Amino acid sequence: MSTTHTPAGHTPAGTTETAAATAALGTTGPRTWRTAPPDVSGGWRPSGALVGYVVLALALLLVAPAVLEPFRLGLLAKYCCWAIAAVGIGLAWGRGGMLVLGQGIYFGLGAYAMAMHMLLADAGPEGIPDFMNLYAGGVMPTWWEPFRSPVVTLVAIVVVPAAVAGLLGLAIFKRRVKGAYFAILSQALTAAFALLLIGQVKTTGGFNGLNNFQSFFGYSLYDPANQQMLYFLAAGTLLAAVALTSWLNSTRFGELLVATRDAEERVRFLGHDPANIKTVAYVVAAVLAAIGGALFVPIVGIISPEQVGVTASIAMVAGVALGGRASLLGPAVGALVIGYAETYLSESFPGSWSYFQGALFVFVVLLLPGGIAQLLTRRSKKEVPA
Amino acid sequence: MDVFLSQVFTGLSAGGVLLLIAIGLTLTFGQMGVINMAHGEFLMAGAYTAYVMNTIIGNAEASLLLALPVGFFVGGLLGVALEAGVLRWMYRRPLDTLLVTYGVGLVLQQVARDIFGAPAKEVPGPSWLDGSVPILGYDFPLSRLFLLALSLAALAGVAAVLKLTALGRQVRATVQNRDLAETLGISTRRTDRITFFLGSGLAGIAGVALTLLGSTGPTIGSSYIVEAFLVVVVGGIGQIKGTVIAAFVIGVGQSFLEYATSGSTAKVIVLALIVVFLQVRPQGIFAVRTRSLA
């Protein structure tokens, strides 16, 4: 595509690498629509982003606990878990241009690690989870053993997904597998992961997954006060995740990531290795997804292959697309809105959720590639990279 | 020897199914840069076509043969509708076509659920596909032999169209260099539409054929689509011969691994091997040299 000779001002998407690179690196280029100033703020002026962030924080930490009944607050806590993963997708996809369709893997790694620990904690010092008595003849695999320790579990929730994402990311990006190939590959890996979970009934609970938890680090899950504590934990983590990506975006790494998205070859010529830049973003996204997954387990009370498979992984992308993938708050807000819409629509009109979700993908991607954030900032949709 | 042969044959017929699904994908991906996730739902439409034909005709012997061409048109028309309604606005945005067509697929699945209900439907196979033929001392089921023959026939058909007809020349020209083809007076819009019709029609045929192997449900397409895309990626996008090799290698390899381990472990190993393979050849077995996709 880069060999195509197209007159300036008449450029189809994908052929303006150099122009966008010039822009992203801060020098001037011909005035085509891809040469807007570096979009490091993702369409949000710093002040606008700050105001939005404060509004989100107030809404999550003060308004929601005050007005929502406990059941609804629990649902909001669940949406927060998805939103934490969505913030990571925003970084990898919106900033880095990597369409990650496989965040379910990392969500699942975090969730299953947490679930294993909670089951073991409930079972007592020498006990084993009930389902193993049922399916595995009372034998626990040795690699479950370390998850008795809360510290090991918390470390594993971060380290295991980071290691998997780091290895996969380097393997894939060093060989310059990108774009559509990467998307398909990440989707295939998710399918494999879900199959693996279903297949290993004796260690993962198979199709039913892990459930029936009693306590979270010693706190009973049935106590309303603890449920509220979990909500604040999830909401606080979400706000911290947004703050983290905001900081990352403002660093040199954030600029390099956007530059890699818009003009990978140019970044390479300048002496950076795009594979490393992409891998870092991919690892951060993976860890955020894993943390979301780890919080999901005590809040929802179950983790099963259904919640981490291909469909769930793509559903996580829906919220990001709706909110605006390249904006700071878009992915988080989009994921919260989608979570609410899913609950509302499937409660009120069973079956209509699929139509809505399908239509959402079509209309947002086709007509509003910048998501809701694009409406708020009144930018031309063409300024959002494909 | 018996086990070896039976795994080879099972793998070949599985590869044949993959091939039937993947040819259409590789055509539309290679030529138009469209990642059509709704391809699986076109397949589903084909399978339900077989079910409807069977219900209307009530004669399993004839309905399969009639369902094949009808399924081709149902799949093809759905494809043309998708192309004309949505995709023509988003050429050269492959990642976005992936999401958009995934959305269309979700809608189609729900449509199927609303029309036919969520439980899977059985389509009785014709009696002339019951039983098996002895090949080299191994009893090979006729229905699987039919699948293999069907996919080879479809392959021959596509190859003939691409190699021998004016349309085929235009398609190949468009794949290799869309802008140059346009300059030479080829209507790439028209070529796109016909290609999409052909590719989606093949998905319809594949769907009809799949009713011979099992029951038909709203999610039948999504269970095949990921594997079909892997075949396309491994084969090299837009490369028919690469797709053929990849489909049969993956089909046979999976069949042996399934015998050695279990169904799910085999799929995981196949995926791991594909990741390793992409380390060696990121562009697949064969690569289009003239233009790079995103």
Side-chain angles (χ1 to χ4, degrees):
Chain A
M1 197 70 79
S2 51
T3 54
T4 320
H5 297 287
T6 331
H10 204 73
T11 34
T15 62
T16 48
E17 277 199 350
T18 28
T22 322
L25 293 162
T27 49
T28 46
R31 299 296 298 174
T32 63
W33 53 264
R34 285 292 289 267
T35 59
D39 190 14
V40 174
S41 63
W44 287 76
R45 286 179 195 82
S47 60
L50 192 62
V51 170
Y53 186 77
V54 171
V55 169
L56 180 69
L58 288 176
L60 283 177
L61 298 180
L62 291 177
V63 180
V67 299
L68 291 178
E69 50 186 299
F71 172 68
R72 294 282 154 192
L73 198 65
L75 288 177
L76 184 56
K78 178 168 85 170
Y79 312 151
C80 283
C81 298
W82 285 326
I84 295 167
V87 171
I89 296 175
L91 183 74
W93 181 33
R95 299 286 168 160
M98 296 168 270
L99 178 51
V100 284
L101 297 179
Q103 291 308 86
I105 294 179
Y106 306 111
F107 195 85
L109 285 175
Y112 273 88
M114 180 63 88
M116 283 157 65
H117 170 70
M118 288 168 68
L119 283 179
L120 289 172
D122 288 346
E126 292 298 315
I128 67 167
D130 285 341
F131 81 92
M132 287 187 181
N133 288 321
L134 214 59
Y135 299 127
V139 185
M140 192 176 79
T142 44
W143 59 269
W144 267 62
E145 205 60 51
F147 289 91
R148 282 194 198 280
S149 152
V151 178
V152 170
T153 306
L154 290 179
V155 171
I157 285 169
V158 173
V159 171
V160 173
V164 173
L167 283 175
L168 267 177
L170 283 180
I172 290 172
F173 299 131
K174 284 283 182 199
R175 290 302 299 174
R176 304 189 192 181
V177 175
K178 55 186 172 185
Y181 297 80
F182 172 74
I184 291 168
L185 207 57
S186 70
Q187 196 186 17
L189 289 166
T190 319
F193 180 68
L195 280 172
L196 196 66
L197 289 174
I198 295 172
Q200 305 294 315
V201 184
K202 292 175 181 174
T203 50
T204 62
F207 192 74
N208 296 323
L210 303 178
N211 53 22
N212 202 12
F213 312 108
Q214 308 297 324
S215 65
F216 178 66
F217 294 107
Y219 296 95
S220 165
L221 288 175
Y222 297 98
D223 184 344
N226 292 343
Q227 289 170 2
Q228 201 174 32
M229 176 194 78
L230 276 171
Y231 166 76
F232 279 111
L233 191 59
T237 310
L238 173 60
L239 291 169
V242 176
L244 171 78
T245 52
S246 169
W247 171 75
L248 271 179
N249 290 339
S250 71
T251 60
R252 189 171 170 72
F253 164 77
E255 286 187 33
L256 278 172
L257 185 62
V258 174
T260 305
R261 173 192 75 188
D262 291 340
E264 187 166 333
E265 288 304 316
R266 180 62 72 95
V267 173
R268 204 188 310 278
F269 293 148
L270 288 173
H272 299 283
D273 188 347
N276 295 341
I277 299 165
K278 288 173 150 186
T279 304
V280 171
Y282 186 54
V283 167
V284 173
V287 170
L288 285 177
I291 292 173
L295 286 168
F296 184 86
V297 171
I299 288 168
V300 180
I302 182 172
I303 185 70
S304 70
E306 199 187 334
Q307 282 133 352
V308 302
V310 173
T311 311
S313 298
I314 300 185
M316 291 180 199
V317 171
V320 180
L322 175 68
R325 60 206 189 200
S327 72
L328 178 62
L329 292 169
V333 173
L336 294 175
V337 170
I338 287 280
Y340 173 75
E342 179 172 6
T343 311
Y344 172 75
L345 287 171
S346 33
E347 272 174 7
S348 320
F349 320 95
S352 70
W353 169 241
S354 294
Y355 289 124
F356 177 78
Q357 199 185 11
L360 187 88
F361 271 117
V362 175
F363 288 112
V364 169
V365 175
L366 193 59
L367 303 174
L368 205 63
I372 297 170
Q374 177 187 327
L375 290 177
L376 295 177
T377 48
R378 275 173 277 131
R379 293 169 75 95
S380 154
K381 67 177 176 185
K382 288 187 169 177
E383 288 185 32
V384 176
Chain B
M1 194 61 185
D2 252 8
V3 169
F4 178 81
L5 273 181
S6 80
Q7 293 307 315
V8 169
F9 282 128
T10 314
L12 283 179
S13 73
V17 173
L18 280 181
L19 177 62
L20 210 47
I21 306 171
I23 294 178
L25 281 177
T26 202
L27 275 178
T28 50
F29 195 177
Q31 178 181 332
M32 293 137 84
V34 167
I35 304 177
N36 183 16
M37 296 292 289
H39 198 78
E41 275 62 47
F42 297 166
L43 181 150
M44 173 196 74
Y48 276 116
T49 303
Y51 170 75
V52 170
M53 294 295 282
N54 195 275
T55 316
I56 295 174
I57 297 176
N59 174 358
E61 316 299 318
S63 75
L64 176 73
L65 290 180
L66 280 170
L68 284 171
V70 177
F72 178 76
F73 274 99
V74 169
L77 291 178
L78 280 173
V80 169
L82 177 70
E83 202 275 341
V86 181
L87 290 178
R88 66 187 170 118
W89 309 108
M90 41 198 330
Y91 285 138
R92 306 193 190 217
R93 289 163 63 189
L95 288 181
D96 286 352
T97 61
L98 192 160
L99 291 176
V100 163
T101 53
Y102 178 79
V104 172
L106 280 178
V107 170
L108 288 177
Q109 277 183 29
Q110 191 60 34
V111 168
R113 223 171 270 132
D114 286 348
I115 297 178
F116 298 100
K121 304 282 186 197
E122 290 291 341
V123 184
S127 61
W128 46 269
L129 284 181
D130 291 343
S132 50
V133 259
I135 298 175
L136 299 170
Y138 167 69
D139 284 334
F140 196 69
L142 262 174
S143 57
R144 288 193 167 267
L145 204 60
F146 178 76
L147 277 181
L148 190 57
L150 186 66
S151 76
L152 292 178
L155 173 67
V158 170
V161 168
L162 285 181
K163 292 278 177 206
L164 303 178
T165 66
L167 170 72
R169 277 194 298 279
Q170 293 173 4
V171 169
R172 281 182 287 143
T174 311
V175 170
Q176 286 178 10
N177 191 328
R178 173 174 296 266
D179 296 334
L180 191 54
E182 188 77 33
T183 320
L184 291 172
I186 296 170
S187 166
T188 54
R189 293 285 315 116
R190 183 175 151 273
T191 318
D192 284 348
R193 204 157 287 174
I194 297 174
T195 313
F196 221 89
F197 179 79
L198 280 179
S200 309
L202 287 170
I205 289 186
V208 173
L210 277 179
T211 59
L212 293 173
L213 289 184
S215 51
T216 302
T219 55
I220 186 173
S222 45
S223 53
Y224 281 95
I225 190 75
V226 175
E227 259 179 284
F229 266 116
L230 286 182
V231 168
V232 172
V233 168
V234 169
I237 286 162
Q239 298 291 316
I240 300 286
K241 59 184 170 183
T243 306
V244 175
I245 296 172
F248 284 113
V249 168
I250 289 179
V252 173
Q254 193 148 306
S255 142
F256 273 97
L257 285 166
E258 265 171 28
Y259 178 77
T261 59
S262 70
S264 61
T265 318
K267 284 220 164 73
V268 177
I269 296 175
V270 167
L271 281 166
L273 289 177
I274 287 172
V275 174
V276 172
F277 173 78
L278 288 178
Q279 293 295 301
V280 187
R281 285 197 68 90
Q283 302 300 316
I285 301 174
F286 298 104
V288 185
R289 284 191 192 82
T290 44
R291 76 188 265 267
S292 70
L293 289 158

